[in-house]
Amino acid sequence: MSRAFTPTLKEVPADAQVVSHVFMIRGGFIRRVAAGVYNFLPLGWRVINKIERIIREELDKAGAQEVLMPAAVPAELWQETGRWQKYGPELLRFKDRKGADFCFGPTHEEVIVDMVRREVKSYRDLPLNLYQIQGKFRDELRPRAGLMRGREFIMKDAYSFDVDLESARKSYQAMYDAYGHIFSRCGLSFRVVEADTGAIGGDMSHEFQVLASSGEDTLVACDGCDYAANVEQAEMAAPAADEAPADGPALESVATPGKKTIDEVADFLEVPASRLVKTLIYVAGGKAIAVCVRGDRTVNEVRLKKVVGADELFAAGDKQVTEATGAPVGFAGPVGLEIPVYADVELQGLRGAYCGGNAADVHLGNLDMARDVPSATFDTLRAAGAGDRCARCDDGAFMVERGIEVGHVFLLERVYTEPMKATVLGEDGKQAVMEMGCYGIGVTRVAAAAIEQNHDEGGILWPLSIAPYEVHLLALQPKDQGVMDACERLYKELGDAGLEVLFDDRKERPGAKFADADLIGIPLRIAVGKRTLGEGEVEFKWRADAEASRVPVEDIVGKVAELARTEKERLRRLGA
Ligand code: ATP
Ligand code: MG
């Protein structure tokens, strides 16, 4: 390490908000070049290389072939699918010296479809699955979490081509399985969730989510079956009907001076938030609409868009809210509105509820949505939450978890091949549009997710399969010739045993070396100190263990080699 380029830092970088970002900067893995753009230093690059190696092994095994496409992509290809216009400011566009438009590829469907349609002419050439590992650029709005959400980041993107849907589903399944092997071998604990096929269209989509409290995505998992899904996508069973009778008392006005938020109103009226109806004003396709969910729920905007049939939808500003309701913000309610009202199904059976009165300082009580807002459109508009009943099994309920999306598989069908006229001659002699799948892994995000899931206060706890080195050898008194001689000998023997060793021979105090070893997070640590060495021993510990144990010098290489072998074997089996 005295000659290695591994600059560690004691202080926490000011712009780092997530653990992986802090430790990767402090541990000398990466350095910031611009917002969301990083240099990979030797330790960081070794981690990325290990992840890539696992990906290549598993994809090659699954029958995919590696290619490399350009990062600079001519606009014409993107114009063929209409994405040149549709893709927003995340697309980095630029011109060459002749004034021709280009983009820095954020994903490569167009380029690969062009490549394949030029060469592949017959069903006999299919199925075909091609992948690349490449730097992508997306001009993300908030690149604030280090490698978790960069602007330039490394992605593995794969694309499958099949002659029909049945065969495309098999290609999809093969990638789905390979992804499971890859993330298991990387030592990650993950869940596969059903995802929204969203604006792109297509048939089937799954996200691979690494479970971590810092994850940006919220997902629900059933406690009764295997079902897990995005909160936007989760299918819930119908809510239980309210026990209150249908012919309750009529609506009444309730004075709620200055009480605007759900919490304020619930406190003031001394009822739970689940007795309130939350009314939000949105602008959908240019027109104002009102959306109602129970006070303790959030609106599922992905669902809402679909139900309303709008391409664009956003929350109305204060002025628009007042225009639509005739009241200051905080008092919107569904009764008597002149704009369309959409309500979550849960409200259909809710009786004796409270809602805003569309006038300052007024709410309404005894609300029965079905009775009092007969024009409302009822549909599932709430995001799934803890306790919602699962639609896939009899009595399961949802738990809420946070996740980091490390991979995404998507059965695209003909979304790209149709507009780009990518056809092959079918077995029946007719031209057939190819069925396509696309499959992404955020390679650099995998490194960040591994840290989010495996760390303690002192630093990283790398899974052995993706650690920058397997063994960290510390010379505690580097000025002592005996210590250095023993270390040099161990370094050589460990290397001969096939282990990757980082040797800390720096002229630093033992405390600083232990702290850096914890920070960098190499799984197996051997410390060679003058006193223990005098008794013929060294100190050994796993990074994750609290206490070191003493091992005779002559046994340590065999012991560490055996531990590494067993652990690697375990991770491999997990992935098999
Ligand atoms: P997100 O919702 O996190 O923005 P996405 O849906 O845009 O992801 P895809 O287009 O499916 O992502 O890209 C494939 C994979 O690339 C993702 O599963 C993720 O792991 C990774 N990825 C996407 N955007 C970034 C980014 N800004 N930084 C790092 N990795 C990313
Ligand atoms: Mg994105």
Side-chain angles (χ1 to χ4, degrees), residues 138 140 147-150 153 155 405-408 440-442 445:
R138 294 182 182 179
E140 302 270 0
L147 296 191
M148 285 250 267
R149 184 168 296 284
F153 59 96
M155 195 202 287
E405 180 196 323
V406 288
H408 194 174
I441 292 181
R445 190 182 279 180

Side-chain angles (χ1 to χ4, degrees), residues 36 87 90 106-107 109 136-140 143 146-157 179 183 200 207-208 216-217 404-410 438-446:
Y87 215 96
E90 270 189 26
T107 175
E109 284 80 4
K136 298 276 195 265
F137 196 97
R138 294 182 182 179
D139 205 348
E140 302 270 0
L147 296 191
M148 285 250 267
R149 184 168 296 284
R151 291 198 296 163
E152 184 171 326
F153 59 96
I154 299 172
M155 195 202 287
K156 183 288 300 170
D157 44 329
Y179 273 38
F183 297 126
I200 311 182
E207 287 171 1
F208 288 72
E216 284 185 352
D217 296 344
I404 302 167
E405 180 196 323
V406 288
H408 194 174
V409 292
F410 210 126
C438 74
Y439 317 91
I441 292 181
V443 177
T444 39
R445 190 182 279 180
V446 166

Side-chain angles (χ1 to χ4, degrees), residues 464 499 524 542 559-569:
L464 189 76
L499 293 157
L524 297 152
W542 281 100
K559 178 180 168 95
V560 167
E562 177 58 20
L563 288 171
R565 199 188 58 74
T566 320
E567 174 63 6
K568 271 194 246 180
E569 191 49 40

Side-chain angles (χ1 to χ4, degrees), residues 84-246:
W84 184 257
Q85 281 76 29
K86 263 191 252 156
Y87 215 96
E90 270 189 26
L91 186 67
L92 179 63
R93 300 154 205 258
F94 56 95
K95 288 185 192 296
D96 70 6
R97 64 166 83 201
K98 293 191 182 127
D101 284 317
F102 276 83
C103 66
F104 193 127
T107 175
H108 278 66
E109 284 80 4
E110 283 84 354
V111 183
I112 196 117
V113 171
D114 182 52
M115 175 163 120
V116 169
R117 74 178 166 184
R118 285 166 190 274
E119 314 301 330
V120 176
K121 300 290 178 198
S122 159
Y123 72 93
R124 285 195 204 89
D125 304 326
L126 300 178
L128 183 64
N129 191 332
L130 302 172
Y131 74 96
Q132 64 171 348
I133 298 179
Q134 183 193 45
K136 298 276 195 265
F137 196 97
R138 294 182 182 179
D139 205 348
E140 302 270 0
L141 189 57
R142 287 184 205 87
R144 59 204 149 144
L147 296 191
M148 285 250 267
R149 184 168 296 284
R151 291 198 296 163
E152 184 171 326
F153 59 96
I154 299 172
M155 195 202 287
K156 183 288 300 170
D157 44 329
Y159 306 89
S160 65
F161 295 87
D162 285 88
V163 70
D164 58 30
L165 253 186
E166 195 192 330
S167 148
R169 290 213 173 89
K170 281 189 197 133
S171 300
Y172 181 90
Q173 188 60 42
M175 290 303 270
Y176 180 108
D177 295 342
Y179 273 38
H181 302 159
I182 290 167
F183 297 126
S184 299
R185 282 185 61 188
C186 288
L188 297 170
S189 150
F190 63 94
R191 260 188 187 274
V192 191
V193 308
E194 288 185 14
D196 183 40
T197 48
I200 311 182
D203 182 66
M204 235 193 321
S205 171
H206 289 91
E207 287 171 1
F208 288 72
Q209 294 275 358
V210 165
L211 304 179
S213 56
S214 58
E216 284 185 352
D217 296 344
T218 311
L219 42 126
V220 290
C222 178
D223 62 11
C225 69
D226 288 341
Y227 185 57
N230 258 338
V231 279
E232 289 95 18
Q233 175 76 6
E235 290 172 22
M236 297 169 263
D242 200 310
E243 278 155 24

